[in-house]
Amino acid sequence: MGHGSSRLRSAPPARRGALRRRVDRLWREVVKFGAVGGAGLLVNLLVFNLVRQVTDLQVVRASVIATIVAILFNYMGFRYFTYRDRDKTGQTRELTLFLLFSGAGLVIENGVLYLATYGFGWNSPLQNNFFKFLGIAIATLFRFWSYRTWVFRALPVRGDTVVDAKRLPRAKGEEPRPKVFR
């Protein structure tokens, strides 16, 4: 081994470029998801505390109402901002899956609050808000994964695809198509 050589080889430039684009797209998605989620968090906590102040509802019931309001708010933000470039052909399916996974997130979020309030007796306004926030944080990890994987499916990316000439159908007598790199 000569001076400056390494056993590790870097990825070819085309692969690095494709990987870089994928990481950049994921980063933009995370930032947009966080922006909508942050606004949804504020809606959730504001509605929660408002319901707690103006009604006599129990803490978890008030939290469920706040979570439902935030779910509706978040759907609009995700569909028309975060995932506006995603497949829109099956919006009934999309909405059904969104509500299903949001319902699972609601159970996670409010399960944490329920356990803290009724399991451990931590029921002060500060404790309620802390455990509501903790439940939202845990449920957010699940929601991010489920929404991007199942609900708002990505359209095929043209910039990273390689068309294999051997697998493309050809008419009789037609010359093989060259590989296209974009």
Side-chain angles (χ1 to χ4, degrees):
M1 277 202 238
H3 183 315
S5 67
S6 172
R7 288 185 178 179
L8 299 175
R9 293 183 182 170
S10 63
R15 282 181 131 175
R16 273 195 309 253
L19 177 63
R20 175 73 179 178
R21 283 190 300 273
R22 290 183 71 189
V23 169
D24 287 345
R25 273 195 309 271
L26 179 62
W27 177 247
R28 283 191 303 273
E29 180 182 342
V30 168
V31 169
K32 287 179 176 181
F33 188 92
V36 172
L41 170 69
L42 290 176
V43 167
N44 198 331
L45 292 174
L46 287 171
V47 171
F48 173 66
N49 284 293
L50 180 67
V51 171
R52 292 282 292 151
Q53 292 297 317
V54 300
T55 70
D56 292 331
L57 285 177
Q58 295 174 343
V59 66
V60 175
R61 289 183 183 166
S63 180
V64 168
I65 290 169
T67 303
I68 291 170
V69 171
I71 286 170
L72 298 174
F73 175 87
N74 285 349
Y75 178 76
M76 300 303 285
F78 291 141
R79 168 43 50 217
Y80 298 106
F81 177 66
T82 305
Y83 297 114
R84 69 176 172 242
D85 59 338
R86 298 291 178 100
D87 185 12
K88 293 179 181 81
T89 57
Q91 285 190 312
T92 302
R93 175 195 164 281
E94 172 187 286
L95 184 58
T96 302
L97 287 173
F98 181 85
L99 293 174
L100 176 75
F101 289 120
S102 293
L106 181 145
V107 170
I108 294 167
E109 175 184 328
N110 290 292
V112 170
L113 182 61
Y114 181 90
L115 181 64
T117 303
Y118 301 113
F120 294 106
W122 297 326
N123 196 19
S124 73
L126 180 63
Q127 291 168 328
N128 292 158
N129 279 286
F130 175 79
F131 288 106
K132 171 115 177 107
F133 183 82
L134 180 63
I136 290 170
I138 294 168
T140 296
L141 297 173
F142 168 75
R143 287 178 177 133
F144 179 74
W145 169 80
S146 63
Y147 294 166
R148 76 180 313 265
T149 304
W150 299 101
V151 180
F152 301 105
R153 296 185 311 192
L155 293 169
V157 178
R158 293 178 186 240
D160 293 345
T161 58
V162 176
V163 179
D164 187 355
K166 294 176 186 168
R167 289 191 276 169
L168 290 173
R170 287 181 273 167
K172 259 189 177 178
E174 184 182 345
E175 292 295 315
R177 295 180 180 137
K179 291 184 179 180
V180 177
F181 296 92
R182 293 187 181 165

